């Protein structure tokens, strides 16, 4: 072979290999460019194969993602338009039959391997990252603390909604209901229970200090006070579920408590109670407001003289026909499910029962 052809052959081989690599990359899910079209007219371009949740976050579109992408919260839903690959088994507990038929998926479980078109609630497009400086930390019980942040710009939210805190160093976020007055846009507060072995709560309880600044996104969530409603309100919470209810009560006080509102708070023993005197004092100031704290297993040394028993039994005892009421519930999944059953037994329509489980 004439040596003059050698470089030509080498270059040709290199060109063919490069083309093959590009094609594999494009069609078998390597690092090629892909487009995500959001709500028909907003397009972001990504490269590499990553989850839709990460791709959107990297492009400053913040879907809620309160478990940090572990498929345990179900908050990161979006709709895949014209692309009906069945959801993964990990998604099924969070999707209704109707949602599956409409193409709703958990964005943290969808890998972007080709161009896709998605629908998200328009409000999500307004969510942005904020930086909050810790200005107060208060230990409320042996395992619950309140943290107050100072924001450089307004952080608008509805009473009942939640924010997400990013744990520095591990780029994972967790959801925390906003516990403060929605009039104060510069100082959101959260109430956080230490979960044994928990990544975020260990950071918040053991490492976060006054003066630290952390990344916060929000506000998120469709659990919030129906401000225009005139229906009497039942509120039920346990543990750190106090957080969104506190914000809702601030709003009701702001409205001068125009409708009857009863707040049931369930705890095991006296050491799990907090803000008891605070809410009992509010009840003295507003005749329409009633506070009913209850202990399920009071200790003798608690010298507890108020309500005793499971919160479901306490609610049953203190209420009659609830068909004209609405409810706001926040606490563990087991507690919420049991309370919903009681409220329905008392005639409350399902569409008037609002809740956040965690
Ligand atoms: C909408 C929403 C609002 C929330 N608001 C609040 C709030 O106001 N205050 C608050 O304290 N928490 C709230 N949470 C829960 C919070 O987002 C975290 O899940 C929780 O703090 C645990 O995070 P972690 O990183 O410490 O635990 P992880 O590291 O995520 O979990 C560690 C271990 O604990 C288990 N675990 C996780 N969460 C719980 C739990 N709640 N109880 C028992 N075991 C658990 C996990 O399965 C895992 O085995 C909310 C959650 C949602 C979805
Ligand atoms: S982020 Fe929690 S399920 Fe997707």
């Amino acid at each position: 072979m004439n040596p003059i052809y050698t470089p030509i052959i080498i270059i040709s081989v290199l060109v063919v290999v490069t083309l093959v690599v590009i094609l594999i990359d494009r069609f078998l899910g390597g690092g090629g460019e892909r487009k995500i079209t959001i709500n028909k007219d907003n397009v972001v371009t990504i490269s590499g194969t990553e989850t839709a949740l990460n791709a959107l976050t990297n492009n400053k579109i913040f879907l809620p993602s309160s478990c940090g992408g572990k498929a345990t919260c179900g908050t990161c839903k979006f709709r895949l338009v014209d692309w009906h690959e069945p959801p993964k088994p990990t998604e099924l507990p969070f999707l209704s039959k109707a949602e599956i038929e409409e193409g709703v998926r958990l964005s943290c479980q969808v890998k972007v391997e080709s161009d896709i078109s998605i629908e998200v609630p328009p409000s999500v497009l307004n969510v942005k990252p904020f930086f909050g400086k810790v200005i107060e930390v208060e230990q409320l019980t042996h395992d619950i603390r309140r943290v107050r942040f100072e924001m450089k710009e307004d952080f608008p939210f509805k009473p009942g909604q939640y924010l997400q805190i990013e744990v520095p160093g591990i780029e994972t976020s967790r959801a925390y209901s906003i516990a403060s007055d929605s009039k104060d846009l510069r100082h959101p507060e959260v109430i956080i229970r230490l979960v044994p072995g928990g990544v975020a709560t260990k950071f918040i309880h053991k490492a976060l200090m006054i003066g630290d600044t952390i990344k916060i996104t929000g506000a998120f969530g469709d659990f919030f006070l129906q401000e225009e409603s005139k229906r009497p309100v039942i509120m039920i919470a346990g543990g750190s579920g106090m957080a969104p209810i506190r914000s809702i009560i601030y709003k009701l006080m702001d409205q001068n408590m125009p409708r009857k509102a009863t707040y049931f708070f369930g705890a095991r023993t006296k050491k799990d109670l907090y803000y008891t005197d605070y809410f009992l004092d509010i009840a003295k100031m507003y005749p329409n407001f009633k506070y009913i704290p209850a202990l399920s297993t009071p200790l003798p040394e608690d010298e507890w003289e108020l309500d005793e028993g499971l919160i479901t039994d306490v609610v049953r005892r203190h209420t009659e026909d609830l068909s004209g009421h609405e409810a706001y519930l926040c606490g563990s999944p087991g507690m919420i499910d049991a309370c919903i059953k009681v409220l329905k037994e008392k005639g409350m329509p399902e569409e008037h029962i609002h809740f956040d489980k965690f």
Side-chain angles (χ1 to χ4, degrees):
M1 191 173 59
N2 189 336
I4 200 160
Y5 293 124
T6 309
I8 296 172
I9 290 168
I10 292 173
I11 288 169
S12 304
V13 168
L14 282 175
V15 167
V16 170
V17 168
T18 308
L19 278 175
V20 168
V21 168
I22 288 172
L23 285 174
I24 289 173
D25 196 48
R26 175 74 183 82
F27 293 107
L28 296 183
E33 280 199 347
R34 292 155 191 109
K35 287 190 175 18
I36 306 181
T37 307
I38 303 139
N39 293 358
K40 292 201 181 113
D41 51 15
N42 195 344
V43 180
V44 298
T45 304
I46 65 159
S47 56
T49 308
E50 49 187 336
T51 65
L53 177 66
N54 285 346
L56 291 168
T57 305
N58 292 340
N59 282 280
K60 301 200 171 2
I61 293 171
F62 299 99
L63 282 177
S65 56
S66 34
C67 70
K70 291 193 293 188
T72 55
C73 72
T75 55
C76 63
K77 289 178 187 174
F78 66 176
R79 190 170 91 82
L80 275 175
V81 181
D82 300 332
W83 194 60
H84 290 254
E85 181 193 285
K88 297 193 176 91
T90 44
E91 297 172 69
L92 294 176
F94 303 101
L95 301 174
S96 67
K97 199 164 165 270
E99 285 177 322
I100 293 172
E101 278 163 14
E102 284 167 12
V104 175
R105 300 283 308 270
L106 298 186
S107 61
C108 69
Q109 300 300 298
V110 173
K111 282 226 166 126
V112 187
E113 291 172 334
S114 59
D115 292 352
I116 58 171
S117 200
I118 66 166
E119 270 176 17
V120 300
S123 58
V124 160
L125 302 177
N126 300 326
V127 170
K128 59 176 193 171
F130 293 81
F131 290 91
K133 183 172 165 195
V134 179
I135 55 163
E136 253 176 64
V137 175
E138 183 189 9
Q139 199 65 37
L140 296 171
T141 71
H142 58 107
D143 63 353
I144 294 182
R145 58 170 38 185
R146 177 181 65 90
V147 181
R148 181 174 171 86
F149 298 100
E150 185 171 78
M151 312 297 243
K152 281 213 171 85
E153 50 186 322
D154 287 353
F155 180 78
F157 66 94
K158 294 182 191 171
Q161 284 192 305
Y162 67 94
L163 51 75
Q164 287 189 182
I165 289 179
E166 189 176 296
V167 185
I170 55 167
E171 288 176 16
T172 189
S173 297
R174 295 286 185 273
Y176 294 103
S177 304
I178 306 162
S180 45
D181 187 342
S182 56
K183 278 202 311 301
D184 186 348
L185 302 176
R186 293 291 174 110
H187 301 102
E189 294 181 14
V190 287
I191 290 177
I192 298 183
R193 185 176 72 84
L194 178 65
V195 170
V199 171
T201 54
K202 185 174 172 199
F203 161 71
I204 291 159
H205 276 253
K206 310 284 181 204
L208 191 66
M209 312 280 267
I210 290 180
D212 290 350
T213 295
I214 55 171
K215 192 166 157 193
I216 289 173
T217 47
F220 298 106
D222 49 17
F223 173 74
F224 49 79
L225 178 69
Q226 307 299 301
E227 291 184 27
E228 306 308 321
S229 164
K230 294 193 168 32
R231 279 184 283 272
V233 180
I234 298 286
M235 292 166 280
I236 311 174
S240 56
M242 167 84 82
I245 305 294
R246 182 174 180 246
S247 184
I248 286 174
I249 291 171
Y250 273 124
K251 184 73 202 182
L252 291 172
M253 286 198 287
D254 213 33
Q255 296 174 332
N256 213 14
M257 210 64 82
R259 38 187 171 151
K260 284 207 180 303
T262 309
Y263 177 23
F264 296 91
F265 183 74
R268 279 198 200 100
T269 66
K270 210 169 178 179
K271 79 177 189 349
D272 303 307
L273 284 178
Y274 57 107
Y275 287 143
T276 309
D277 289 342
Y278 176 75
F279 287 112
L280 288 173
D281 284 348
I282 293 177
K284 282 185 203 145
M285 281 156 50
Y286 295 91
N288 265 350
F289 180 72
K290 237 184 185 176
Y291 182 50
I292 303 179
L295 295 185
S296 59
T297 48
L299 302 169
E301 60 268 31
D302 286 343
E303 297 178 357
W304 184 247
E305 289 174 351
L306 299 178
D307 275 85
E308 204 179 310
L310 286 175
I311 200 68
T312 39
D313 296 333
V314 178
V315 172
R316 218 180 248 120
R317 271 205 304 272
H318 281 270
T319 55
E320 290 177 3
D321 175 20
L322 294 178
S323 54
H325 288 58
E326 69 191 27
Y328 297 89
L329 322 180
C330 196
S332 69
M335 187 204 98
I336 302 281
D337 291 342
C339 289
I340 291 176
K341 204 163 156 256
V342 173
L343 297 175
K344 282 189 181 165
E345 274 165 27
K346 296 267 182 174
M348 194 179 290
E350 200 163 346
E351 62 271 24
H352 294 160
I353 305 177
H354 309 276
F355 57 87
D356 248 353
K357 296 177 184 178
F358 51 82

